[in-house]
Amino acid sequence: MSGIRGILLHICVVCSLVCMVTKILDYYNPYMDFSGHVVGFQFLLYGVVIVLELTRRYNNRTGQKSAKSKKTHYTMLNNFKYV
């Protein structure tokens, strides 16, 4: 599941960059209507964000915890060894 989430996160980043670049290009040259031609990327971005949220909720329901949430600050302090 984490491999699929990684791919979806990369797709999300690429689509976001495409949308930002087209907004900048559209600002400098509004007659070319760049933002009107990236509708597919916008819908792909919206869909990926929805799927990412659903997979996150699915992981929370099944009891799977991420590596970051397993290791809390308290456990890191307990593992600290004094020299």
Side-chain angles (χ1 to χ4, degrees):
M1 184 65 86
S2 65
I4 295 171
R5 284 183 55 84
I7 292 169
L8 290 175
L9 285 171
H10 283 88
I11 291 172
C12 203
V13 167
V14 169
C15 288
S16 298
L17 289 173
V18 167
C19 290
M20 288 187 334
V21 167
T22 55
K23 290 294 181 187
I24 293 169
L25 288 174
D26 203 31
Y27 174 77
Y28 286 112
N29 194 355
Y31 297 110
M32 291 296 291
D33 190 31
F34 289 108
S35 56
H37 293 94
V38 293
V39 175
F41 286 109
Q42 289 174 341
F43 283 125
L44 180 65
L45 178 64
Y46 303 149
V48 167
V49 168
I50 290 170
V51 169
L52 283 172
E53 180 63 24
L54 291 175
T55 57
R56 185 183 67 85
R57 288 187 183 184
Y58 174 75
N59 284 342
N60 288 344
R61 262 195 210 140
T62 58
Q64 296 175 351
K65 301 262 184 191
S66 65
K68 188 175 184 180
S69 65
K70 285 181 184 176
K71 195 169 200 177
T72 62
H73 182 68
Y74 182 72
T75 58
M76 290 186 340
L77 285 176
N78 284 339
N79 293 334
F80 182 75
K81 296 184 179 183
Y82 294 100
V83 180

